[in-house]
Amino acid sequence: MTEPTRWSPPTFELLVMVRTLLDVTRQDAQVLTPAAPALRPVLERLTRQATLSPAEASAAVQALDRALNGPQRAQVRATRLKLEQRVNLQLSSSRLARGEGFPDAVTHRLAFLVPGGQATVAAVRRDAQLNPFLQGGPASTLRALLQNLR
C-alpha cells in the first residue's frame, strides 16, 4: 500500500484525518506546532457546528491539508499508512478476511479507522448532515488533538 485510502462521503475522510493528526501529535508533540495556528480554527469550528455537510467536511479536509508544509504532510501520510496497515493486519486474522458472514467489509475496515467505530460509521451513513465531532469518540479525539496543538 503506497497511498492512503480516500473515503467517501468526505465526513469519513475528515474523521480519519483528525485521528491521524492526533496520532502524529502523540508521536511527536512538536511536529505540527508550526501549523497549529492554521489548524486550530478549522478544528475548533467542528466543535461548534450543529451540522456538517459533505461539502463542509471536504472543505475542512482541504483546509487542514493546506495548513501543512511538505514534511508535515509526509509525516501525516506515513502515519496514516501505518494506521491502515495495522487495521489490515487486525482484519486479516478475522472472519472478515475470510468472508465469513460479513456483508460489508468496507464498513468494518472504516470502523477500525474512525473514532467511535461502527457507531460513528452507522450514524454518518444515516444522516449526511451529521456532525460526528459533537459527541462520543470523535469529540474526544478532536478535544485531544486541539489540546496537543496548544
Side-chain angles (χ1 to χ4, degrees):
M1 183 178 342
T2 59
E3 287 298 318
T5 303
R6 295 293 170 210
W7 297 98
S8 185
T11 303
F12 290 138
E13 185 65 26
L14 181 57
L15 283 158
V16 174
M17 184 168 208
V18 166
R19 177 181 178 182
T20 303
L21 291 171
L22 177 60
D23 287 355
V24 167
T25 64
R26 285 180 172 162
Q27 292 167 18
D28 180 353
Q30 304 304 312
V31 73
L32 296 180
T33 300
L39 293 170
R40 270 196 306 270
V42 177
L43 297 169
E44 287 170 350
R45 191 173 315 117
L46 297 173
T47 68
R48 295 186 305 270
Q49 289 180 238
T51 61
L52 181 66
S53 72
E56 291 167 325
S58 182
V61 168
Q62 291 171 11
L64 293 170
D65 188 59
R66 279 192 311 270
L68 304 173
N69 64 28
Q72 291 166 333
R73 207 172 280 121
Q75 179 68 34
V76 168
R77 183 179 166 279
T79 300
R80 184 163 168 171
L81 284 172
K82 285 180 190 173
L83 174 62
E84 289 189 19
Q85 289 168 347
R86 274 195 325 264
V87 167
N88 289 339
L89 184 62
Q90 287 173 310
L91 292 175
S92 69
S93 63
S94 73
R95 291 181 9 205
L96 178 61
R98 296 186 300 272
E100 297 174 9
F102 290 101
D104 187 1
V106 172
T107 296
H108 286 74
R109 185 167 173 249
L110 183 58
F112 276 98
L113 293 169
V114 302
Q118 288 182 347
T120 300
V121 172
V124 170
R125 287 209 168 132
R126 273 192 311 274
D127 181 359
Q129 300 295 312
L130 176 76
N131 180 352
F133 296 101
L134 296 179
Q135 62 186 6
S140 297
T141 300
L142 182 56
R143 278 192 306 272
L145 175 57
L146 285 165
Q147 183 63 38
N148 289 356
L149 291 173
R150 296 216 186 285

